[in-house]
Amino acid sequence: MNKLLRGVYLLLLFVMLACSNSKEAKPEEFKISRPNIILFVSDDHGLDALGCYGNPIIKTPNLDKLASEGVKFTNAYCTSASCAASRSVILSGLYGHATGSYGHVHDYHHFSTYDNIKSLSNRLTQAGYFTARIGKYHVAPETVYQFDEVLEADPRNTVEMADASKGVLNSERPFFLYFCTDDPHRGHPFTPEKWDIPNSFGNKKKGYKGVKQVTYSPDEVLVPEFLPDTKQSREEIAQYYQSISRIDQGFGRLMAHLKGAGKLETTVVIYISDNGMAFPGAKTTVYEPGIKLPCIIKNPTSNKKGITNSAKISWVDLTPTILDFAKINYEAKEFHGKSFRNILENENPKGWDNIYVSHTFHEITMYYPMRVAIDKNYKLIWNLAWRLEYPFASDLWAASTWQSIYRNDIKKFGPRKVKDYLFRPEFELFNLENDPWETNNLAGDENYAELLESIKTKLKIFQKKTSDPWMIMWEHDASLQGSGVNL
């Protein structure tokens, strides 16, 4: 009997060892079958300042190379042209109006995501990914947006940030690296001693360790049509360009480290910005320069290179897309966005011609909710607080680009009248194909009355579907309002 029990014991031990060995093999299989993912997010970088998007002046060779090896989207949009609000959407796949992420999280603004939201980083960690972040965070609470490791480096020095990330790139497990720069956000102090001194955009006279300074003459920069072509605008754009060239060097360093780790062919690389350039008329607005942004993606499993994709995609689509890359199952109804993984290599995919945007706050003192529906070539902006003067972010108000207009009582800011920039109608309707700078409002034109009502209806459906509390502003529609009791 003892011999029999001993035999059974040895058999069980053999089975347990076999199972143990098979379990040890699984991480290796996991490592091979699921890609690493880098999400590189710059701060206030518009479509205007990248070589691969048509700017012949700015030097961005490393990002241009990424575009030549991957997919460049020409109709990619953030959902709110404000740093914190945008980042909450990037990391959740949900509009900020549905998660409490209405605006900035820092200081007295204190907007924070509801604690029942399941973020991208938390989902990836639970699926076995090693998650790490470096640089700008700007979301809350940390329990919702949790990472396995927080790396430290100067967020203005992307070369230093890249060097600090080497350990993650050499991870045994598949990794998700959330790499967020402070560039090219305006630098402190926002208000200079003299009003016409250009902002530094984080640039320093002595530069940054490991970074080659790339400077630009104000005479050579390209002034976007929505800005005034003034001495002050040009000086600030030159500083903005310099900050972007610093980003590009750090991105190149990161790719070199990735190659050195032998992970270049197993890593999905995504480059985006949180919102448009930090100039009046772009950042904090829902005009195209504020919300239409760079998006470049390299899928290492694809043989196609240098693709230009015209699909209208949104930052609310990023979380489900990244989960698709990571081969992690989810329910489509968990997100307001949808994955564009399957249309990545299509230049003109069908069914991707609608975008919705939801902006409520930037700073807490900047209450000016706006909702946007883009339907093919037509764009509707609903200015819910249209009776108020349009508010300025503190850094944009102090910008010499704006002060040169304000102090000299100039009547136009770029193509717009200053009074039209400050005091907006309730509805703005634009044909983006014929009027890309959004100066001809069709909302009051009887020829477009039917179209206006049609897009309004689509906007209402979007608001109801995404639980937008501001739906109440349509004729006091309280259908989304609860009982007032916290169940």
Side-chain angles (χ1 to χ4, degrees):
M1 190 69 177
N2 287 340
K3 287 183 178 180
L4 179 61
L5 287 172
R6 193 179 298 114
V8 171
Y9 173 78
L10 289 171
L11 179 62
L12 288 172
L13 184 61
F14 175 78
V15 171
M16 288 171 66
L17 286 170
C19 290
S20 175
N21 287 336
S22 69
K23 284 180 181 177
E24 286 177 6
K26 281 185 179 178
E28 196 64 31
E29 294 168 6
F30 181 89
K31 206 164 49 172
I32 294 168
S33 63
R34 298 195 179 188
N36 309 302
I37 300 164
I38 295 175
L39 179 56
F40 192 117
V41 185
S42 59
D43 196 354
D44 303 353
H45 186 189
L47 270 180
D48 57 285
L50 269 167
C52 57
Y53 280 94
N55 186 323
I57 304 300
I58 194 162
K59 297 176 179 66
T60 53
N62 295 298
L63 289 167
D64 296 347
K65 181 182 179 184
L66 183 70
S68 71
E69 296 175 342
V71 180
K72 175 184 68 179
F73 283 89
T74 54
N75 288 297
Y77 289 82
C78 65
T79 63
S80 179
S82 179
C83 302
S86 180
R87 290 163 193 267
S88 74
V89 177
I90 291 167
L91 291 174
S92 71
L94 300 167
Y95 285 92
H97 60 238
T99 66
S101 308
Y102 305 129
H104 279 349
V105 303
H106 65 287
D107 297 335
Y108 51 74
H109 312 298
H110 202 54
F111 291 114
S112 186
T113 301
Y114 300 144
D115 58 13
N116 64 334
I117 299 301
K118 193 174 179 182
S119 73
L120 172 63
S121 55
N122 288 14
R123 289 173 185 270
L124 289 168
T125 295
Q126 289 172 10
Y129 269 77
F130 175 62
T131 61
R133 66 175 175 88
I134 187 168
K136 188 164 185 172
Y137 189 45
H138 223 33
V139 286
E142 194 162 356
T143 52
V144 169
Y145 304 103
Q146 206 159 21
F147 289 79
D148 295 326
E149 186 171 356
V150 179
L151 305 172
E152 299 294 335
D154 184 347
R156 288 287 187 182
N157 185 341
T158 47
V159 169
E160 182 182 309
M161 290 172 69
D163 290 346
S165 302
K166 287 178 70 175
V168 176
L169 305 184
N170 285 286
S171 170
E172 290 292 319
R173 284 190 283 157
F175 65 79
F176 171 63
L177 175 61
Y178 184 55
F179 191 106
C180 301
T181 73
D182 272 7
D183 291 325
H185 193 288
R186 285 176 176 267
H188 288 283
F190 292 148
T191 305
E193 291 182 9
K194 190 179 177 185
W195 72 265
D196 61 348
I197 297 175
N199 187 270
S200 69
F201 288 83
N203 304 317
K204 297 192 300 187
K205 287 183 179 179
K206 293 185 179 180
Y208 291 86
K209 185 178 180 180
V211 180
K212 179 183 177 182
Q213 284 208 67
V214 179
T215 60
Y216 298 87
S217 164
D219 294 333
E220 68 180 330
V221 302
L222 304 180
V223 181
E225 194 167 329
F226 74 93
L227 289 175
D229 191 348
T230 61
K231 172 179 178 291
Q232 289 77 20
S233 291
R234 287 184 168 275
E235 288 175 343
E236 292 210 299
I237 292 171
Q239 295 292 322
Y240 167 66
Y241 278 15
Q242 182 177 336
S243 187
I244 291 165
S245 285
R246 186 165 57 252
I247 292 173
D248 186 78
Q249 287 185 56
F251 180 82
R253 183 70 155 255
L254 186 65
M255 292 302 99
H257 290 326
L258 190 64
K259 184 178 181 180
K263 305 286 182 69
L264 200 61
E265 302 307 319
T266 56
T267 304
V268 175
V269 180
I270 303 170
Y271 179 84
I272 62 170
S273 170
D274 59 356
N275 50 250
M277 66 190 300
F279 285 75
K283 182 179 178 178
T284 78
T285 79
V286 291
Y287 294 130
E288 294 291 280
I291 59 175
K292 192 175 181 180
L293 302 172
C295 179
I296 310 170
I297 301 178
K298 182 183 177 183
N299 176 10
T301 64
S302 174
N303 293 322
K304 295 185 178 180
K305 295 183 177 182
I307 298 166
T308 298
N309 192 316
S310 66
K312 286 183 171 64
I313 62 167
S314 168
W315 289 180
V316 80
D317 300 321
L318 283 169
T319 283
T321 300
I322 290 171
L323 292 177
D324 268 2
F325 272 119
K327 301 177 184 177
I328 296 172
N329 294 328
Y330 60 88
E331 296 288 335
K333 64 182 179 182
E334 295 181 74
F335 304 112
H336 294 149
K338 59 182 179 179
S339 171
F340 53 81
R341 168 72 180 82
N342 290 335
I343 57 100
L344 202 61
E345 297 175 0
N346 299 351
E347 292 186 356
N348 299 292
K350 293 181 180 179
W352 291 81
D353 46 19
N354 296 96
I355 288 289
Y356 295 95
V357 173
S358 172
H359 179 99
T360 305
F361 286 92
H362 180 64
E363 297 159 7
I364 197 170
T365 49
M366 292 178 64
Y367 178 74
Y368 202 88
M370 297 170 283
R371 300 294 183 264
V372 176
I374 301 178
D375 186 12
K376 298 181 178 63
N377 292 326
Y378 287 94
K379 176 178 178 180
L380 174 66
I381 300 174
W382 180 27
N383 297 308
L384 283 76
W386 61 282
R387 292 178 180 86
L388 299 176
E389 181 176 335
Y390 191 82
F392 273 84
S394 52
D395 57 336
L396 301 189
W397 171 261
S400 60
T401 296
W402 172 254
Q403 289 295 316
S404 65
I405 303 299
Y406 173 71
R407 288 172 177 269
N408 294 302
D409 197 27
I410 296 172
K411 303 303 180 185
K412 293 193 75 175
F413 183 80
R416 288 187 178 86
K417 293 179 180 177
V418 170
K419 68 179 182 65
D420 292 338
Y421 182 79
L422 296 177
F423 296 97
R424 304 179 183 185
E426 183 176 11
F427 295 104
E428 298 176 84
L429 179 66
F430 302 108
N431 182 330
L432 294 177
E433 185 176 19
N434 300 333
D435 181 25
W437 297 106
E438 302 159 286
T439 57
N440 182 24
N441 185 8
L442 304 172
D445 189 327
E446 290 184 3
N447 295 316
Y448 293 90
E450 187 175 338
L451 176 66
L452 177 63
E453 291 306 314
S454 172
I455 303 180
K456 280 184 186 179
T457 299
K458 291 180 180 180
L459 187 56
K460 291 176 186 177
I461 293 170
F462 155 75
Q463 288 184 279
K464 188 167 186 178
K465 184 179 178 182
T466 59
S467 303
D468 184 358
W470 276 263
M471 190 173 177
I472 199 171
M473 301 304 289
W474 294 105
E475 300 175 351
H476 304 282
D477 180 352
S479 60
L480 292 178
Q481 190 164 308
S483 63
V485 178
N486 188 14
L487 299 176

